[in-house]
Amino acid sequence: MGGNSLQILLTFVLFLLCTKPTLSCIEQERQALLKIKEDLIDDYGHLYSWSAEEGSKDCCKWGGVRCSNQTGHIIMLNLNFSNLEPLRGKLSPFLIDLQYLNHLDVQNNDFNQSQIPNSIGSLSNLIHLDLKFANFGTNIPFHLGNLSSLQYLDLSWNNFNNPENLEWLPQLYSLRYLDMSSVNLSKVNNWLQVVNKLPYLTSLHLESCNLPSIFSVWLVNSSTSLHSLDLSDNSLTSSSSVLQWLFNFNTSVVKLDLRFNQFHGLIPDGFSKMKSLTHLFLDYNELEGGIPKTFSGLCNLNTLSLPVNNLNGQLLEFFHNLTGCASQSIEVLNLDWNQIMGSLPDLATFPSLRELGLHHNHLNGTILDNLGKQSRLERLYLGHNSFEGFISEAHFSELTKLKYLDLSNTSLVFNFSSDWVPPFQLEKIALWSCQLGPQFPKWLQTQKNCIWLDISNSGISDSLFNSYWIFSPRLVYMNMSHNQISGHIPNLSLEFSSPPTIDLSSNKLEGEIPSFLFKVTHLDISNNLFSEPALFLCTTNNRNLSILDLSNNQLLGELPNCWMHFEGLKILNVANNRFHGKIPNSIGSLLGIEILDLGNNSFTGELPSSLKNCTKLKFVNLRDNKLSGQIPMWLGSSHPDLVVLFLRSNHFFGSFPSHLCDLKHLQLLDLALNHISGSIPKCINSLTALTSPISTTGHLYKGPLDFFHCDDLAFWLWKGRDLSSNLGQIKSIDLSSNKITGPIPREITELVGLISLNLSRNLLTRRITTEIGALRSLEVLDLSENQLSGGIPSSIALINSLNFLDLSNNNLSGIIPTGPQLNTFNATAYEDNPNLCGFPLPKKCPGETNQNPAVNRGGDHAGIQETEDGFITPGFYVSVALGFVIGFLGVFGTLLLNRSWQFSHFNFLNNVKDKQDVTVVVNMARLRRQHQT
């Protein structure tokens, strides 16, 4: 009995010795956390457990807090909860009370560009500090240099002021990881010397830092510890000594990222010195030639990425120069978007290949079926080349791991048996502009993991009947546009895993639009035959829907009044349908909408006042409806960003709306074919976007408007003639066919960016302002069918870009001015002005013996107009016109007539040639008209 008691006693003693007491947090540190919380705005309840209540005293159990098991002190504070649900406010200086903290992570929050508290520099035990994406501002505190134990520091992607120096950084002697991406280091000329004073540094990330060029590295004492280096997006050039520094002092680097710089010329052989290199990224540079032969000796090379350069030569030579141990180790080879030629060689020399990118090159020929033996291949990008021939089952026989397949925009013909079951399960399928039709490929039905599908323009003329499997709940992106797919879409009971993008435009779909289609982010079903009202629209509540295009269908009835269900919409296009009735008030619930197109319907009544809530509008098209009333005052004051306003062909009345002068960004104003009266206000010169010449370097605005497709933007209708151009370059005012009275104000000549000005078919009086010649950018000027009097100002001859002029049906008098461009117009430009005389009218002016100014009317232009010197000949006009065509293509040809704009990068680039063809046709029509005169 005594023995048992002794045994129990010993067991109890051992239990006490082995059991550690449960430690709760230190009260002072608990109070510090509560004070830290006071400076934070917690919209999502992440800090709910941080409470002063009696039941929450143990702060070691609070969210994001970790304490030491030995001391109870707080050693970790992690406030990185979610990038979609950030904390706001500021980071409290009471962090200084957490002296035992060794890990602090506050990334993915919003500290409103406040300064990093200096007290962080007193946390001497800190090993890990992550301030990434936290919206800190002002200066980086030099007190960070006190953190001598720090091994990990991430200051990237904040809004700091440009530092003058980084002298505090070398004090962080123990630092192993440093990320200062997006910190503007343009003033820190010794950045390279600074980072080389960190002897244990293994990872350095300086992406988008605007690094100054280094032209001498002989004084640099470089460490050999660096394994990962990111200098991407810094505009570094080949003249900089950065590459010399890499090749001579950092041969131990394993991962090197030099993307988005300006390295040019041949790929340097120096990379072959970096024998440890596994990942090399040189995307988006200006490199030429091929891959150096010395790369074959990079035996550890896993990833070689060279897309978007100017590489050229034969693909076979590229592969040959990698033959060796590099070809055995390479798993990812990306040569997309270059100028590489030849056919696709045998890939057997790359047994480890998982990803091959040859998209957008100049490859041709057939694809050998031994491609099907690359059993490790997971991603294959061969689209946008000139491959031809057949693709059969043999091409995929052993590709069991294939997940991404891109053969888009080739001339390949798919020849599979109807019962073929592929050995792979694809996640991404890009086969647009391939010959897949006329039926839906049945093998697609076997792809249960597909989330990205593009089979647009692929010759499918099948019905959706028995093909509803194509709508998978896993879809993230679907594009089946520009086919001949017909039939009804049933209202499937489908819940998407995440809201996808769906483009079914330009088909022959009909019936009612099912409700599940409105559960997406982008929906384009334009150019179909849908006719029944969108009844299901109001049964859906989707704040993720940002683009909705129902245009060019046969939809009728009233527009549903439930737009409050779609508050995330940025683009709404229902143009060219049969809607009628009033514009619903709930349109005003679309607070973020930027593009609203209701054109060519039968809407009636006045504009709903709720539209003034849509303050972000940039494009408004209400043309060709039956809207009435005065143009409301709030249209100018409530929409400061408006770029395009089409109110053409309605029943608006009242005086010319002077409040439109407040639209500083307005580029296109069309009020034609209404009942607007009064005079043109002198404040029209307040339209400041029209007071500067057009830019020849790109768009005048950014955002959804850049990608919007609409007939009004592709063709500018002018007196029955289509003038095609890029919306970003057009600046135009059309007030034609109204009842506008009074003179043309002189202030209109301050709008020197105007390309088109149409004031025709009004009641304008008095003289044409003598300063009309200031509008040097004008291509179209129409003042016809008014009551203008006096002479035609001679300054009009200064508008050398003018290619359409109509001053007919006025009371103009005197001699018609001449000039190189004016002399190209025929009599119709001046007819029905009884008191006008001179070329090209048959009526001679007093003392005139020859009506052809090219022969007899010299004056200031004699040296230009005389044909005797051989300068003005038919060949001259051809040369001028061809020069104009080429220049026009360069400026305007990039975004002209693209109907597959919004969801596919491939479609956009594929249609550039089509856009240029249209531009050529338009300009050749101009040439013929000018030459005929």
Side-chain angles (χ1 to χ4, degrees):
M1 184 70 180
N4 289 337
S5 299
L6 181 61
Q7 183 177 3
I8 293 172
L9 179 62
L10 289 174
T11 301
F12 180 71
V13 170
L14 288 172
F15 175 78
L16 291 177
L17 291 174
C18 296
T19 302
K20 297 179 180 179
T22 302
L23 298 175
S24 61
C25 73
I26 310 299
E27 179 60 23
Q28 181 183 359
E29 295 180 350
R30 177 175 174 271
Q31 293 300 321
L33 288 178
L34 293 175
K35 290 175 182 177
I36 291 171
K37 181 181 178 181
E38 289 177 2
D39 285 339
L40 297 174
I41 301 172
D42 183 14
D43 297 314
Y44 303 97
H46 298 305
L47 305 180
Y48 175 78
S49 58
W50 292 29
S51 173
E53 296 180 2
E54 188 68 26
S56 301
K57 276 195 172 183
D58 189 359
C59 63
C60 294
K61 296 180 180 179
W62 290 358
V65 178
R66 181 184 298 177
C67 298
S68 168
N69 292 332
Q70 284 77 32
T71 66
H73 285 292
I74 295 174
I75 58 174
M76 177 185 288
L77 183 60
N78 185 359
L79 301 182
N80 174 20
F81 295 106
S82 169
N83 61 337
L84 298 178
E85 299 178 347
L87 297 170
R88 296 186 293 119
K90 67 176 182 178
L91 199 56
S92 172
F94 284 99
L95 278 169
I96 196 172
D97 291 336
L98 305 180
Q99 280 295 311
Y100 294 87
L101 203 63
N102 60 47
H103 184 115
L104 177 60
D105 186 347
V106 296
Q107 67 170 305
N108 293 318
N109 288 298
D110 182 5
F111 294 114
N112 196 30
Q113 299 191 31
S114 60
Q115 184 169 2
I116 299 171
N118 293 335
S119 58
I120 285 184
S122 301
L123 301 176
S124 57
N125 291 305
L126 210 57
I127 296 173
H128 182 110
L129 178 59
D130 195 337
L131 309 179
K132 180 178 183 178
F133 280 116
N135 197 17
F136 284 111
T138 68
N139 299 321
I140 300 174
F142 64 87
H143 303 84
L144 293 181
N146 298 332
L147 302 176
S148 56
S149 300
L150 202 63
Q151 297 180 17
Y152 183 106
L153 175 61
D154 194 336
L155 300 172
S156 63
W157 307 107
N158 284 283
N159 292 284
F160 298 120
N161 296 336
N162 301 358
E164 299 285 341
N165 61 73
L166 295 177
E167 299 306 319
W168 54 270
L169 191 56
Q171 301 174 48
L172 305 181
Y173 190 79
S174 302
L175 204 62
R176 286 163 170 75
Y177 180 99
L178 174 63
D179 192 342
M180 296 185 69
S181 296
S182 84
V183 178
N184 191 327
L185 300 178
S186 58
K187 298 179 181 179
V188 186
N189 292 314
N190 66 336
W191 64 270
L192 189 55
Q193 286 86 346
V194 170
V195 298
N196 274 289
K197 293 178 181 178
L198 301 171
Y200 301 109
L201 193 67
T202 59
S203 295
L204 175 62
H205 301 269
L206 298 177
E207 177 187 353
S208 302
C209 288
N210 199 17
L211 294 174
S213 293
I214 302 296
F215 297 105
S216 176
V217 297
W218 67 276
L219 293 176
V220 174
N221 275 328
S222 183
S223 166
T224 58
S225 65
L226 205 58
H227 288 174
S228 179
L229 177 62
D230 184 354
L231 300 179
S232 61
D233 195 17
N234 278 293
S235 299
L236 298 172
T237 66
S238 298
S239 60
S240 168
S241 296
V242 168
L243 292 180
Q244 181 186 348
W245 169 66
L246 285 171
F247 300 154
N248 294 336
F249 302 107
N250 288 278
T251 56
S252 63
V253 169
V254 173
K255 181 178 180 180
L256 178 59
D257 192 341
L258 298 175
R259 291 176 293 178
F260 295 98
N261 281 293
Q262 297 175 15
F263 296 116
H264 60 273
L266 300 177
I267 300 173
D269 281 318
F271 287 110
S272 61
K273 296 181 181 180
M274 308 174 77
K275 299 299 184 181
S276 300
L277 204 61
T278 63
H279 294 76
L280 176 59
F281 299 94
L282 293 169
D283 320 21
Y284 291 89
N285 278 283
E286 301 168 16
L287 299 169
E288 302 172 358
I291 297 174
K293 292 181 180 180
T294 53
F295 272 42
S296 63
L298 294 175
C299 300
N300 295 305
L301 193 60
N302 173 281
T303 298
L304 178 58
S305 188
L306 290 162
V308 198
N309 279 283
N310 298 315
L311 301 179
N312 50 61
Q314 296 291 315
L315 182 60
L316 183 60
E317 185 177 354
F318 278 67
F319 282 15
H320 178 73
N321 289 349
L322 289 172
T323 300
C325 58
S327 63
Q328 300 297 308
S329 64
I330 286 180
E331 297 183 16
V332 177
L333 178 59
N334 190 342
L335 301 173
D336 290 339
W337 290 86
N338 282 287
Q339 301 169 29
I340 304 170
M341 299 175 290
S343 58
L344 183 65
D346 189 349
L347 300 179
T349 53
F350 296 90
S352 303
L353 201 62
R354 294 186 297 106
E355 178 177 333
L356 176 62
L358 294 169
H359 192 270
H360 262 97
N361 277 284
H362 302 313
L363 303 174
N364 54 30
T366 59
I367 297 177
L368 302 176
D369 58 12
N370 59 13
L371 172 68
K373 296 181 180 179
Q374 295 294 124
S375 58
R376 296 191 179 185
L377 204 59
E378 297 177 12
R379 302 186 179 202
L380 179 62
Y381 304 96
L382 301 178
H384 282 271
N385 284 289
S386 299
F387 293 121
E388 56 188 5
F390 291 92
I391 292 292
S392 66
E393 299 168 17
H395 287 85
F396 302 102
S397 58
E398 298 179 28
L399 304 188
T400 57
K401 297 183 178 180
L402 196 64
K403 291 181 175 63
Y404 284 55
L405 175 64
D406 182 0
L407 300 175
S408 57
N409 197 29
T410 62
S411 298
L412 295 169
V413 178
F414 287 72
N415 185 20
F416 301 140
S417 62
S418 59
D419 58 350
W420 179 56
V421 178
F424 49 69
Q425 282 293 321
L426 296 176
E427 296 176 9
K428 177 178 179 178
I429 304 173
L431 300 175
W432 67 272
S433 291
C434 292
Q435 291 301 310
L436 301 180
Q439 280 79 40
F440 278 109
K442 289 187 177 180
W443 65 269
L444 287 178
Q445 191 171 0
T446 68
Q447 302 304 294
K448 306 300 183 183
N449 297 332
C450 182
I451 61 173
W452 203 101
L453 174 66
D454 191 340
I455 53 173
S456 59
N457 192 33
S458 57
I460 297 176
S461 56
D462 204 356
S463 170
L464 274 179
F465 184 72
N466 290 331
S467 298
Y468 303 144
W469 49 266
I470 204 102
F471 297 102
S472 164
R474 294 174 53 87
L475 277 175
V476 172
Y477 176 92
M478 171 195 278
N479 190 346
M480 298 196 299
S481 66
H482 293 83
N483 284 291
Q484 299 292 317
I485 301 170
S486 59
H488 294 246
I489 304 177
N491 191 26
L492 302 174
S493 299
L494 189 63
E495 294 293 335
F496 296 108
S497 302
S498 61
T501 287
I502 293 182
D503 186 351
L504 302 175
S505 63
S506 299
N507 280 289
K508 294 183 178 179
L509 298 168
E510 56 187 329
E512 193 170 29
I513 305 170
S515 62
F516 79 89
L517 285 183
F518 295 111
K519 299 177 181 179
V520 300
T521 56
H522 299 177
L523 176 62
D524 187 352
I525 54 175
S526 61
N527 287 284
N528 277 285
L529 303 173
F530 292 108
S531 58
E532 298 182 31
L535 298 178
F536 286 119
L537 184 68
C538 292
T539 66
T540 308
N541 197 326
N542 181 11
R543 288 174 171 78
N544 293 313
L545 183 63
S546 62
I547 297 177
L548 177 60
D549 192 344
L550 308 179
S551 63
N552 294 286
N553 279 284
Q554 300 173 17
L555 297 169
L556 46 81
E558 295 187 354
L559 196 64
N561 190 18
C562 52
W563 296 103
M564 69 288 292
H565 296 173
F566 304 95
E567 293 178 353
L569 265 180
K570 293 185 180 296
I571 297 177
L572 173 61
N573 187 0
V574 299
N576 301 308
N577 279 288
R578 301 177 184 176
F579 289 114
H580 61 78
K582 292 186 176 182
I583 298 174
N585 284 324
S586 60
I587 286 285
S589 302
L590 305 177
L591 302 183
I593 194 165
E594 299 183 31
I595 294 175
L596 177 64
D597 193 344
L598 309 181
N600 196 21
N601 282 284
S602 297
F603 292 111
T604 56
E606 298 183 356
L607 296 180
S609 60
S610 61
L611 266 179
K612 64 185 177 184
N613 300 327
C614 306
T615 57
K616 296 183 180 180
L617 276 170
K618 292 182 173 68
F619 175 99
V620 174
N621 179 21
L622 303 175
R623 62 175 294 174
D624 294 301
N625 280 287
K626 300 176 182 178
L627 298 167
S628 58
Q630 295 188 356
I631 297 175
M633 294 288 292
W634 46 259
L635 192 56
S637 59
S638 298
H639 305 99
D641 298 325
L642 203 61
V643 177
V644 177
L645 178 60
F646 291 142
L647 300 180
R648 180 187 188 93
S649 191
N650 279 284
H651 303 309
F652 291 112
F653 59 83
S655 298
F656 187 95
S658 60
H659 48 278
L660 296 184
C661 295
D662 296 332
L663 299 173
K664 306 299 183 183
H665 300 287
L666 196 67
Q667 289 182 199
L668 275 79
L669 174 63
D670 189 350
L671 305 180
L673 292 161
N674 281 285
H675 306 293
I676 296 171
S677 58
S679 59
I680 300 173
K682 292 184 178 182
C683 66
I684 198 164
N685 59 358
S686 296
L687 300 175
T688 52
L690 300 178
T691 60
S692 58
I694 64 170
S695 168
T696 58
T697 58
H699 294 297
L700 304 176
Y701 50 81
K702 299 294 180 184
L705 197 56
D706 283 319
F707 310 106
F708 189 58
H709 65 86
C710 173
D711 292 341
D712 292 304
L713 311 192
F715 289 105
W716 190 249
L717 189 63
W718 202 272
K719 292 179 73 70
R721 193 165 63 91
D722 287 332
L723 299 179
S724 62
S725 189
N726 179 1
L727 173 63
Q729 303 289 349
I730 290 180
K731 296 184 176 185
S732 173
I733 291 178
D734 189 347
L735 307 179
S736 62
S737 299
N738 279 287
K739 299 178 181 180
I740 299 174
T741 57
I744 300 173
R746 181 201 59 79
E747 287 77 9
I748 207 168
T749 64
E750 297 179 31
L751 307 181
V752 296
L754 276 176
I755 290 180
S756 301
L757 176 61
N758 189 350
L759 305 178
S760 65
R761 297 182 294 282
N762 278 289
L763 303 172
L764 296 170
T765 57
R766 302 186 193 177
R767 292 175 175 269
I768 301 173
T769 175
T770 58
E771 299 175 35
I772 192 73
L775 301 177
R776 300 291 183 87
S777 299
L778 271 186
E779 293 185 20
V780 176
L781 176 61
D782 192 345
L783 305 179
S784 64
E785 298 189 46
N786 279 285
Q787 300 172 17
L788 299 169
S789 58
I792 300 174
S794 59
S795 67
I796 201 170
L798 301 174
I799 309 177
N800 294 323
S801 58
L802 202 62
N803 55 60
F804 181 87
L805 175 66
D806 194 347
L807 303 178
S808 64
N809 290 280
N810 279 287
N811 297 318
L812 299 172
S813 59
I815 187 170
I816 297 174
T818 63
Q821 193 65 21
L822 286 183
N823 294 344
T824 65
F825 298 113
N826 57 34
T828 57
Y830 308 101
E831 64 187 5
D832 293 321
N833 284 283
N835 297 317
L836 273 183
C837 64
F839 180 84
L841 293 176
K843 182 179 179 180
K844 298 178 183 179
C845 294
E848 186 176 25
T849 58
N850 192 320
Q851 299 174 15
N852 188 345
V855 175
N856 196 41
R857 179 157 320 160
D860 296 336
H861 305 289
I864 297 176
Q865 295 167 354
E866 290 177 1
T867 58
E868 287 82 6
D869 62 2
F871 189 71
I872 298 296
T873 66
F876 169 79
Y877 288 114
V878 171
S879 299
V880 171
L882 288 178
F884 179 80
V885 169
I886 294 170
F888 191 91
L889 287 176
V891 176
F892 298 118
T894 54
L895 283 174
L896 193 57
L897 290 175
N898 190 351
R899 288 290 297 137
S900 299
W901 59 274
Q902 66 270 53
F903 302 136
S904 174
H905 297 295
F906 305 139
N907 290 5
F908 166 76
L909 292 154
N910 183 49
N911 286 334
V912 167
K913 178 180 179 294
D914 298 334
K915 302 168 188 175
Q916 293 173 339
D917 292 341
V918 172
T919 306
V920 171
V921 170
V922 171
N923 285 285
M924 289 307 294
R926 290 178 179 173
L927 171 60
R928 286 194 296 271
R929 178 176 64 80
Q930 294 173 358
H931 187 57
Q932 286 169 358
T933 61

